[in-house]
Amino acid sequence: MAAVMLCGSLSGCSSLKELTSSSKPLLGGSSTSSPEPSAAATGTDAAAKKTERESGPLDTGTVTHRLKQGDFTVTLNYWTSDNAKLYTAASDKTINVAAHIEDADSKHRIKVSTFQVTQDDGTARVDVTTDSGSFDITPPYPYNTVVTLPAATTGATTLTLTFRMDLLVETTPKSNSYYRSTALDTLTLPLITKGATQ
């Protein structure tokens, strides 16, 4: 009897079952879904992810890049005995570079006339080394060098290294006539900054 009277006093109520059903709220409007994370919590998570160091090409100690130069390929091998995962702006960084030619015969002579490395930390750009001369890199001979990087600007998060090789390629065997081909490559090394994790 009380249920019937209550139903009569509420508009839109058609049965006792509708009043007692748990499948929907009696006074609509509220949702039972989980609340959205607060802006402060989201900001904290984003900041935590941002301080994590990204992986770098030398984290395993070595990396190989192949650069197609028309009819042949310049293969560059980079390696280091440093722990690249611990690089900071101020830490010592020594990188070995070995270059050789693939997909070319040994009849056309190929020479390296310039090998240059520049370093850019987002604030300062520095010429690390320039090696000029006439270095035979005709297969199977390689070009090898060691590059020691200067300290970067305090607070830098990455180093971008640009490698430039100017090559002289003989036009026909024993002609002593050459054309120039320039190979460009880059390595981006992540750096640990204050508060960052590996």
Side-chain angles (χ1 to χ4, degrees):
M1 183 69 178
V4 172
M5 290 179 63
L6 179 58
C7 185
S9 65
L10 294 174
S11 61
C13 177
S14 58
S15 69
L16 180 62
K17 183 177 179 182
E18 189 174 328
L19 262 178
T20 58
S21 173
S22 60
S23 63
K24 57 184 177 180
L26 294 177
L27 302 174
S30 63
S31 172
T32 58
S33 62
S34 301
E36 292 294 324
S38 67
T42 304
T44 302
D45 292 343
K49 289 181 180 178
K50 193 173 183 180
T51 59
E52 291 179 5
R53 175 192 173 277
E54 295 182 5
S55 61
L58 290 177
D59 285 1
T60 60
T62 183
V63 67
T64 299
H65 290 177
R66 289 178 173 82
L67 310 174
K68 190 67 176 174
Q69 298 293 117
D71 295 335
F72 62 92
T73 302
V74 177
T75 299
L76 291 163
N77 295 307
Y78 304 98
W79 74 95
T80 183
S81 57
D82 304 333
N83 185 346
K85 294 179 181 180
L86 300 180
Y87 280 160
T88 64
S91 65
D92 295 332
K93 307 169 192 70
T94 302
I95 299 173
N96 298 273
V97 185
H100 67 272
I101 304 298
E102 295 180 354
D103 307 323
D105 58 47
S106 58
K107 295 178 181 179
H108 293 74
R109 295 185 67 189
I110 302 176
K111 300 178 181 181
V112 177
S113 61
T114 306
F115 177 79
Q116 184 180 50
V117 182
T118 58
Q119 171 181 294
D120 189 340
D121 61 20
T123 300
R125 184 178 174 86
V126 179
D127 287 333
V128 177
T129 185
T130 301
D131 189 11
S132 299
S134 182
F135 312 106
D136 198 344
I137 196 174
T138 307
Y141 302 108
Y143 174 85
N144 295 293
T145 192
V146 179
V147 179
T148 301
L149 305 179
T153 305
T154 301
T157 58
T158 58
L159 283 183
T160 300
L161 305 178
T162 302
F163 298 85
R164 172 182 166 175
M165 290 187 74
D166 287 334
L167 303 169
L168 297 177
V169 184
E170 200 169 31
T171 55
T172 56
K174 299 181 180 180
S175 67
N176 204 30
S177 176
Y178 297 85
Y179 70 89
R180 188 172 78 171
S181 179
T182 298
L184 291 173
D185 194 25
T186 59
L187 281 182
T188 300
L189 306 178
L191 305 176
I192 296 176
T193 55
K194 187 176 181 181
T197 58
Q198 298 177 30

